[in-house]
Amino acid sequence: AARCKRHREKKKKENELRDKEYEKELNKNRMLNQRLMGITKEVKDLYERIFGPYYTALRSTGDEEKFTSSFKLVCDVFQELEEEISTRGTTFFCGSEPGMLDYMLWPWFERFPVLKVMRPKTEFPSTPKLTSWQAAMWKTDAVSRYGLDVETQARFYAEYAKPDGQCNYDMLLQPSA
């Protein structure tokens, strides 16, 4: 009976130790998740600041002041994202594999080079980490299968930027000319 009691006490202590280790790991994960949620929210806020200025820059044909101010706002966000991915030290914003945030940001990086085509004399900021991120994103299955090359994007946005609002939204469904 004494032997069984010692065995039960030993098992109880082992379980308590395991529970403490589990709780410690759980707390560590909670803190990490809270920290990442905060960072991700900040990056999401940067992402939301791209919308208006990008399209304003795109549609500002003939209005250099409007283009310059809008383009600067987009470039400022890209610089902040460059700093963020540099700080994270990972290939993707979400780690070693792309996650929701990477796929949320991707369309803007896919579209951004259109401004280079439409405004070739414009100087673009140097963002080597984002350039590496972009190259890595092009290698993902989703982007490589469904991403649009710069020329196709530029053809679409050239129509989109027309002041009359007449844009062929079905352009991808029609054979190229």
Side-chain angles (χ1 to χ4, degrees):
R3 193 173 180 200
C4 286
K5 185 178 179 182
R6 282 193 308 267
H7 180 72
R8 279 194 305 266
E9 286 175 6
K10 180 182 175 189
K11 286 294 180 188
K12 184 179 177 183
K13 285 181 182 181
E14 286 174 1
N15 287 338
E16 286 173 357
L17 182 62
R18 196 172 328 144
D19 288 347
K20 285 179 185 178
E21 287 297 316
Y22 175 76
E23 190 65 35
K24 189 186 332 181
E25 191 65 29
L26 195 59
N27 285 335
K28 189 168 85 176
N29 286 338
R30 281 186 191 130
M31 289 183 342
L32 179 62
N33 283 340
Q34 287 173 346
R35 188 174 137 305
L36 287 175
M37 289 301 288
I39 291 170
T40 301
K41 183 182 181 321
E42 289 173 22
V43 174
K44 182 180 168 284
D45 291 343
L46 290 173
Y47 159 80
E48 290 173 349
R49 289 180 12 221
I50 295 173
F51 283 128
Y54 176 79
Y55 285 108
T56 300
L58 192 68
R59 294 190 97 161
S60 64
T61 52
D63 187 340
E64 284 306 309
E65 188 176 318
K66 193 182 218 181
F67 172 80
T68 302
S69 63
S70 298
F71 182 74
K72 182 184 178 327
L73 291 172
V74 174
C75 290
D76 289 348
V77 171
F78 277 31
Q79 284 300 142
E80 290 178 56
L81 289 169
E82 171 77 9
E83 291 170 20
E84 180 62 38
I85 201 161
S86 295
T87 301
R88 290 181 185 212
T90 56
T91 304
F92 299 99
F93 283 96
C94 294
S96 60
E97 296 293 322
M100 177 70 153
L101 183 59
D102 295 286
Y103 290 115
M104 263 178 58
L105 291 170
W106 172 250
W108 299 103
F109 286 87
E110 184 180 31
R111 294 173 188 141
F112 193 62
V114 170
L115 292 173
K116 290 180 183 180
V117 172
M118 296 178 88
R119 303 240 182 187
K121 293 180 182 174
T122 303
E123 192 169 318
F124 287 77
S126 173
T127 54
K129 295 291 184 184
L130 285 177
T131 301
S132 296
W133 171 82
Q134 196 171 8
M137 286 297 290
W138 271 113
K139 291 176 185 172
T140 65
D141 188 50
V143 173
S144 66
R145 291 175 83 182
Y146 300 104
L148 295 175
D149 60 74
V150 176
E151 293 76 22
T152 303
Q153 296 256 2
R155 271 196 347 259
F156 172 77
Y157 283 113
E159 285 197 24
Y160 179 82
K162 289 179 183 174
D164 64 5
Q166 297 298 313
C167 181
N168 179 6
Y169 290 100
D170 295 328
M171 153 186 136
L172 291 178
L173 302 174
Q174 300 161 349
S176 298

